[in-house]
Amino acid sequence: MSDLFHVSSSPHVRSKDTSSRIMFYVVLALMPTTLFGVYNFGYRALILILVTIASCVATEWVFEKIVHKKSTIGDFSAVVTGLLLALNLPATLPWWEAALGGIFAIAIVKMMFGGLGQNFMNPALGARCFLLIAFAADMTKFAIDDYTGATPLAAMRNGEAVNTMDMLIGRTGGTIGETSAIAILIGAVILILLGVIDLRIPGTYIVTFVIFLVIFGGHGFDWNYITAQLCGGGLMLGAFFMATDYVTSPITPNGRILFGICLGVLTGLFRMYGANAEGVSFAIILSNLLVPMIERITIPRAFGLVKEAKKHE
Amino acid sequence: MLEAAGGFKGECKKMISGGPMMGFAMFDLDVPATKTSSSLLCFTEDEVAAYEPTACINCGRCVEACPELLVPSRLADYGERGQSGVFEKWHGLECVECGSCSYVCPAKRPLAQSVKTMKKQVLAAKRKK
């Protein structure tokens, strides 16, 4: 008898997509936003980005060393977290606060709950909100070209006029990654073409938000106002890159639609009636917490059971 | 039969009776061909063995791939933990073992394998009753 062949359970072929490849795609898709952020806010933005990525990856490595787990930094998810966190910070933030944010994101929000796939909340957003509460002054100081001013959203809240064209391109104050709607949309198109995300979450999110604005915004169907709200703040970045995070969004297709609707309504509520002009981070975090319930009610009906249900009718 | 097809091309590491998705891996060349083996595949490398399963990232690709509209990642979890009750409650027995979930899984989890194993255990337990 010759040497035994390898045996394993079927299927005997696998798709080329791996977790790390998907994470790499996300980093790739975030590049236009990152480059624009660095161009817009200068070298300080670049330093912040490098600091958060380094602190995220290092924290994951150290944590896994301490608890004697196999290191998972090779899956790039910590890089994605670090990059997303940096894009959610103002460029003038002191670097050590950014590093603290990275440590918080990985150690507290992600690894404490079991690492990749087990965290119930988006680590980058969790850290952003932690920083927002801990260092409120630094986190809300937005400057561009050394001119400190209110973000377009805050200005709008005070009833001032804003230039929507500037907001579309991104020459406004804000966090590193949120200002340019165009750069984010380029990244979003990359993600959709690569099959990493679909439009279920961002699509329903944005549509719901627009409907909410038209009804409760107090401006009716004012095209200028709606564009400004869509391009302002973290909405674009949140809708395409944060809300679509696999781990913290529902696993079921219908659940994702429901998730998008929740996000749209919550963001509208926070922006209209909340204490801040911003609402995206809190809306996403709150919706993250609703995910188990959303999944519960949107489990797809198994194929054979559709027939059974029809029989009963 | 292999000789009729021109023999091995390179060293065979794995032989499969049937298709790449649902076929059975054979131990050696002495396993006889039966009526149900539609084809014989010889792989020069074992693609599956090269992958190590990592943690589920909840991407939902298995849910979209499943022709029976199940949630393979959860069923595989129940299977690996031996929770036959919830496995049946979420219709694990409806699985047709097509292997699509394992194929698409970016974390390279052996989803179909876990579900199939649990299915066999549940069915065996039922037969005993």
Side-chain angles (χ1 to χ4, degrees):
Chain A
M1 207 157 74
S2 59
D3 291 333
L4 294 183
F5 293 134
H6 282 225
V7 282
S8 65
S9 182
S10 62
H12 306 288
V13 284
R14 295 291 162 89
S15 72
K16 291 248 164 349
D17 280 346
T18 61
S19 298
S20 50
R21 188 185 284 237
I22 290 174
M23 295 300 169
F24 179 73
Y25 286 159
V26 177
V27 174
L28 197 74
L30 278 170
M31 274 305 122
T33 313
T34 312
L35 292 177
F36 187 85
V38 173
Y39 163 76
N40 207 9
F41 297 103
Y43 72 99
R44 296 198 62 161
L46 186 65
I47 292 174
L48 269 195
I49 290 168
L50 294 178
V51 164
T52 50
I53 292 177
S55 79
C56 281
V57 175
T59 310
E60 183 155 325
W61 188 79
V62 170
F63 194 98
E64 277 163 345
K65 265 264 140 47
I66 293 172
V67 298
H68 303 292
K69 284 255 181 163
K70 225 178 119 214
S71 172
T72 54
I73 57 172
D75 64 17
F76 283 118
S77 64
V79 177
V80 173
T81 302
L83 186 56
L84 276 175
L85 173 62
L87 295 179
N88 273 294
L89 300 174
T92 48
L93 194 77
W95 67 268
W96 62 269
E97 288 178 11
L100 202 63
I103 295 169
F104 184 86
I106 296 294
I108 310 282
V109 188
K110 185 175 162 197
M111 299 315 286
M112 288 279 191
F113 291 94
L116 181 66
Q118 301 297 318
N119 47 304
F120 63 91
M121 189 187 270
N122 189 317
L125 280 182
R128 176 194 153 108
C129 291
F130 158 73
L131 290 176
L132 207 54
I133 294 164
F135 310 105
D138 288 333
M139 280 294 287
T140 50
K141 197 166 66 191
F142 298 112
I144 179 170
D145 297 340
D146 294 327
Y147 164 75
T148 308
T151 60
L153 263 193
M156 265 165 59
R157 205 183 163 82
N158 298 334
E160 295 164 31
V162 287
N163 184 341
T164 44
M165 200 58 214
D166 268 357
M167 292 176 72
L168 208 59
I169 299 169
R171 293 293 295 167
T172 55
T175 67
I176 296 171
E178 75 181 12
T179 57
S180 173
I182 286 182
I184 293 167
L185 284 176
I186 294 172
V189 169
I190 295 176
L191 278 190
I192 290 167
L193 289 183
L194 287 173
V196 177
I197 62 170
D198 56 35
L199 273 174
R200 284 200 191 94
I201 293 172
T204 46
Y205 183 2
I206 291 170
V207 168
T208 313
F209 181 64
V210 169
I211 294 172
F212 191 92
L213 273 186
V214 171
I215 300 174
F216 298 104
H219 290 251
F221 196 79
D222 179 355
W223 193 236
N224 241 351
Y225 176 73
I226 289 171
T227 324
Q229 278 282 359
L230 282 183
C231 300
L235 188 103
M236 284 289 166
L237 189 67
F240 287 106
F241 289 99
M242 313 293 248
T244 55
D245 170 28
Y246 284 149
V247 178
T248 52
S249 63
I251 196 167
T252 56
N254 289 335
R256 292 186 177 169
I257 291 172
L258 195 61
F259 183 66
I261 295 172
C262 278
L263 284 170
V265 171
L266 282 175
T267 309
L269 274 176
F270 288 145
R271 279 206 181 167
M272 296 301 124
Y273 308 110
N276 294 312
E278 283 281 341
V280 175
S281 328
F282 291 111
I284 293 177
I285 285 190
L286 218 74
S287 301
N288 284 165
L289 302 182
L290 293 175
V291 164
M293 274 167 277
I294 293 175
E295 282 180 350
R296 234 189 142 83
I297 59 171
T298 55
I299 291 281
R301 193 153 32 148
F303 187 57
L305 300 174
V306 179
K307 272 189 208 151
E308 270 172 41
K310 271 184 190 153
K311 253 185 232 163
H312 286 298
E313 279 171 9
Chain B
M1 209 187 292
L2 283 167
E3 276 159 22
F8 287 130
K9 251 183 165 180
E11 194 192 356
C12 181
K13 283 268 175 65
K14 191 177 191 181
M15 191 168 75
I16 295 150
S17 168
M21 293 296 279
M22 293 183 72
F24 298 97
M26 299 286 128
F27 280 106
D28 56 39
L29 289 174
D30 298 337
V31 180
T34 59
K35 237 186 197 174
T36 51
S37 46
S38 53
S39 64
L40 283 179
L41 295 173
C42 298
F43 289 1
T44 51
E45 54 178 331
D46 188 354
E47 196 188 325
V48 173
Y51 290 119
E52 209 167 296
T54 54
C56 171
I57 56 168
N58 209 34
C59 65
R61 288 180 188 209
C62 52
V63 183
E64 284 183 32
C66 183
E68 293 291 304
L69 311 178
L70 304 170
V71 185
S73 67
R74 300 284 156 81
L75 292 175
D77 280 346
Y78 301 146
E80 282 158 21
R81 296 192 210 118
Q83 297 165 315
S84 55
V86 268
F87 181 83
E88 266 191 87
K89 188 184 158 212
W90 293 116
H91 314 297
L93 294 179
E94 299 290 324
C95 169
V96 291
E97 311 189 0
C98 66
S100 302
C101 45
S102 293
Y103 176 80
V104 295
C105 182
K108 304 296 162 208
R109 296 181 65 203
L111 294 167
Q113 188 183 341
S114 306
V115 174
K116 278 191 273 185
T117 311
M118 193 63 197
K119 253 179 86 180
K120 289 201 183 85
Q121 287 170 1
V122 170
L123 290 175
K126 287 206 167 168
R127 245 177 262 128
K128 255 183 224 159
K129 268 177 207 164

